[in-house]
Each structure stands twice: as C-alpha cells, then as structure tokens.
Amino acid sequence: GDCEVPPADGVYCKGLFLEGCRWGHTQHELVESEPKVLFTPMPIIWMVPQEVSKFRSYPHYSCPLYKTSERRGILSTTGHSTNFVLDVKLPCTSMDPTHWVKRGVALLTSLND
C-alpha cells in the first residue's frame, strides 16, 4: 500500500524497479523473474539510518541501486560510478546471494524510454 504519513525515523522510498528478478510478495524476498519480464516494480522500502555496528545480520543480497539502467557513469573519487547510488540489503533465504550476482540483479530509480 501507499504510505501517506512520513515515518518517525528514516524515509519511505517508492518508485524503484528491480532488474534481473522480482520481489516475491508472499515470500518477502527476491525470486526469479517471470518469463520475458525484464523490469518489475519494487515495493516501498522503509530506509532507516543506523550505525553500522547496530546492523542486524540476516541472509541478504547487497543489491546495487543505480540512477539508470545503463549502470555506467563517470568514475568518481570514491571509486564508484556517478550512476551508482548505494547498496540495499534485500532478504534472500532460498537462494545464495551469488545467484543474484550472476543474474546481474540491480535496483533502478528510472527506466530508459
């Protein structure tokens, strides 16, 4: 559903797309894409800032988030492309994270026309 009221802490992130897989709404984790479907909408993500030392440990895929599907840009001083935004920890218990790495799974803020 939609989140009409802002959270007390953090931010709701809406409008992202998954490439290379889809979100399993019943499993609450990454699942294989439907045949011939390249991009799928990602449900709203609640991003809450925390100290790294307080991060909870769980089976996850560190999914890169890019501004565009081109996944390239100018290399910045951080060593990342200017198209790269951040890594998002997405739950994956039924598949090893390397499965999603090999699939090239990424989150995107926008799709090409």
Side-chain angles (χ1 to χ4, degrees):
D2 288 329
C3 300
E4 302 295 328
V5 180
D9 193 14
V11 63
Y12 293 128
C13 192
K14 179 181 177 183
L16 299 178
F17 299 92
L18 273 169
E19 180 181 18
C21 72
R22 65 186 168 92
W23 183 255
H25 292 278
T26 55
Q27 301 92 333
H28 300 285
E29 67 175 336
L30 299 175
V31 296
E32 295 291 345
S33 297
E34 295 293 334
K36 299 182 183 180
V37 178
L38 299 177
F39 306 102
T40 57
M42 181 70 184
I44 295 171
I45 299 174
W46 180 19
M47 295 185 172
V48 182
Q50 279 188 338
E51 294 177 27
V52 174
S53 63
K54 294 182 181 178
F55 281 5
R56 194 169 48 95
S57 180
Y58 58 91
H60 70 277
Y61 167 59
S62 291
C63 187
L65 171 61
Y66 295 101
K67 294 176 188 174
T68 68
S69 63
E70 292 182 15
R71 301 188 191 199
R72 60 185 168 91
I74 300 166
L75 195 62
S76 67
T77 55
T78 62
H80 289 292
S81 164
T82 53
N83 192 20
F84 176 79
V85 181
L86 65 115
D87 283 320
V88 180
K89 289 173 67 171
L90 298 178
C92 66
T93 56
S94 59
M95 294 279 197
D96 191 85
T98 57
H99 175 80
W100 304 116
V101 172
K102 291 175 184 175
R103 288 265 194 275
V105 169
L107 281 166
L108 308 170
T109 61
S110 64
L111 300 177
N112 299 346
D113 293 334

